[in-house]
Amino acid sequence: MSRAVVPGTFDPITRGHIDIITRAAQLFDEVIVGVAESAGKGPKGPLFSHDERVALARESLADLGNVSVMPFSELLVRFARSVGADTVVKGLRAITDFEYEFQMAALNYQIDQEIETVFIMSAPGNMYLSSSVVREIARFGGDTSPFVTPCVDRALKGKFDA
């Protein structure tokens, strides 16, 4: 049985993330979406708490039968090993993503040579989409519904309409 981890901060999970996860679910018997704590990310940390990001990912991915969502706050390769995965799947949008992810894959390989990294290119319609762009649209009262699931759209409104 093949098992892969798709890691990320998912602050929030977007339709771009869901596309990569859905495509990974077609390639592997089981996919574990690892929601990283990422407390130090950005000047103020993530918009959504770790628990909120896990809950939003679970609700957004509920229709994918071979996908589960788990929180993690350790080295990615250690998390992958702890859940029995031997593959990490990363989505790539642009060359800047590749440069960063290439470095991370090389470092992960140095830590654990038995964990393979597989890259999936974003669908052309999602190449511009990122969590930070979605947060910015929401912050200024824009419509985020084309970019996220309904539960995430509601959660974003709850953060910025208060």
Side-chain angles (χ1 to χ4, degrees), residues 14-44:
T14 68
R15 293 194 185 279
H17 293 128
I18 294 167
D19 174 60
I20 296 294
I21 294 162
T22 300
R23 290 161 60 202
Q26 294 168 354
L27 298 172
F28 296 92
D29 296 321
E30 185 180 354
V31 172
I32 298 165
V33 175
V35 180
E37 188 170 16
S38 300
K41 194 168 187 175
K44 298 178 187 175

Side-chain angles (χ1 to χ4, degrees), residues 8-98:
T9 304
F10 304 110
D11 187 38
I13 191 166
T14 68
R15 293 194 185 279
H17 293 128
I18 294 167
D19 174 60
I20 296 294
I21 294 162
T22 300
R23 290 161 60 202
Q26 294 168 354
L27 298 172
F28 296 92
D29 296 321
E30 185 180 354
V31 172
I32 298 165
V33 175
V35 180
E37 188 170 16
S38 300
K41 194 168 187 175
K44 298 178 187 175
L47 174 65
F48 292 99
S49 73
H50 199 198
D51 289 342
E52 288 172 321
R53 289 180 282 124
V54 168
L56 289 170
R58 283 183 176 146
E59 187 171 345
S60 296
L61 299 166
D63 62 332
L64 296 175
N66 64 333
V67 174
S68 59
V69 177
M70 296 177 67
F72 78 101
S73 58
E74 60 190 306
L75 285 174
L76 173 57
V77 290
R78 287 188 185 151
F79 173 69
R81 175 77 54 212
S82 75
V83 297
D86 59 7
T87 306
V88 171
V89 175
K90 300 293 295 210
L92 297 176
R93 292 171 299 182
I95 194 70
T96 52
D97 281 352
F98 177 77

Side-chain angles (χ1 to χ4, degrees), residues 77 90 98-112 115-119:
V77 290
K90 300 293 295 210
F98 177 77
E99 289 177 24
Y100 174 78
E101 295 300 347
F102 181 79
Q103 290 175 354
M104 292 297 98
L107 286 169
N108 287 337
Y109 184 80
Q110 289 298 314
I111 296 167
D112 189 335
I115 304 290
E116 191 63 57
T117 300
V118 172
F119 298 111

